[in-house]
Amino acid sequence: MSAQKLDSCVPAIVELLTSKRLMALGPGKPNEAMRPRLTALTAEDFFTVQAVRDRDEANACLAGLWLYHDFLDESHTISQSLPSPSGSYWHGIMHRREPDFDNAKYWFRRLGHHPVFEPLREAARQLAKEDKPHESARFLAVQPAWDPFAFVDLCAACLDGISPCTLLCQQIQQREWELLFEYCSRRAISD
């Protein structure tokens, strides 16, 4: 996430995002050093510039922050309580990383289309062009719309050792996280 986009966030959140992490495709290992900082955050104190107008979107940001630092259970507790599309999206990502691929697909079906899909499709296309991926990931360079189900399948193939595209998938997952976090942040404080 760019420094400019972090300007509206409280310093505690900026601190949580300043060190770039490339999240594991699987569950990863919780970043225990960040647990106290994450536990202290609430939707109400998330932003400094404007008051929170959409509590669900602010809580979706919290789910994303927990996920960013590999606390899947904590992220899950928040995202499953959110009736919003963004809550379903974070929920789907969490299950994809768990890995519980069928459950991830359930949440992506429930989500339907999301506004971050188009910029994510373009980001995946660019990353795939740069990476010259294995045949299992070539669809990323030519897909006409973002297909979260195909991406779940590709992540599963990587975790099963069938596809050698783990780094590419991690980079796409990182961009997905950034786009969704930025979207939720904007929605949390917009009128």
Side-chain angles (χ1 to χ4, degrees):
M1 192 162 163
S2 70
Q4 182 182 19
K5 305 235 182 198
L6 290 174
D7 287 346
S8 65
C9 296
V10 296
I13 292 170
V14 174
E15 185 180 311
L16 288 166
L17 296 174
T18 51
S19 61
K20 185 97 169 176
R21 301 184 81 233
L22 194 57
M23 294 170 281
L25 287 185
K29 183 177 180 198
N31 185 0
E32 290 295 338
M34 294 298 178
R35 183 184 292 276
R37 294 177 185 133
L38 288 163
T39 302
L41 290 175
T42 65
E44 288 76 27
D45 62 12
F46 201 86
F47 300 97
T48 57
V49 177
Q50 294 175 279
V52 171
R53 303 222 188 278
D54 188 327
R55 186 177 170 81
D56 282 348
E57 293 295 340
N59 280 321
C61 289
L62 290 174
L65 285 170
W66 282 102
L67 193 59
Y68 186 77
H69 289 282
D70 298 332
F71 291 98
L72 275 61
D73 289 340
E74 291 80 354
S75 177
H76 185 248
T77 297
I78 297 167
S79 65
Q80 75 178 353
S81 71
L82 300 174
S84 67
S86 295
S88 293
Y89 202 150
W90 288 117
H91 204 160
I93 294 171
M94 188 284 307
H95 282 299
R96 187 181 69 213
R97 288 191 57 200
E98 204 168 26
D100 181 350
F101 302 118
D102 289 339
N103 210 353
K105 288 181 178 182
Y106 166 83
W107 285 99
F108 286 121
R109 272 191 303 282
R110 188 170 168 167
L111 167 64
H113 181 77
H114 195 278
V116 303
F117 280 4
E118 179 51 29
L120 180 56
R121 181 200 64 79
E122 180 57 27
R125 185 182 73 75
Q126 287 296 328
L127 286 165
K129 278 177 47 179
E130 293 168 12
D131 190 58
K132 300 198 183 357
H134 181 263
E135 64 187 52
S136 61
R138 288 198 186 122
F139 74 93
L140 294 166
V142 297
Q143 63 183 344
W146 178 248
D147 184 344
F149 309 104
F151 189 62
V152 168
D153 291 340
L154 182 59
C155 290
C158 290
L159 289 171
D160 289 342
I162 297 167
S163 174
C165 299
T166 299
L167 179 59
L168 174 62
C169 287
Q170 285 180 285
Q171 292 169 330
I172 293 168
Q173 177 178 258
Q174 179 69 28
R175 189 63 188 127
E176 176 184 44
W177 187 94
E178 292 167 356
L179 288 165
L180 185 56
F181 189 83
E182 290 169 9
Y183 174 86
C184 293
S185 296
R186 280 192 316 271
R187 300 267 306 174
I189 59 175
S190 66
D191 290 329

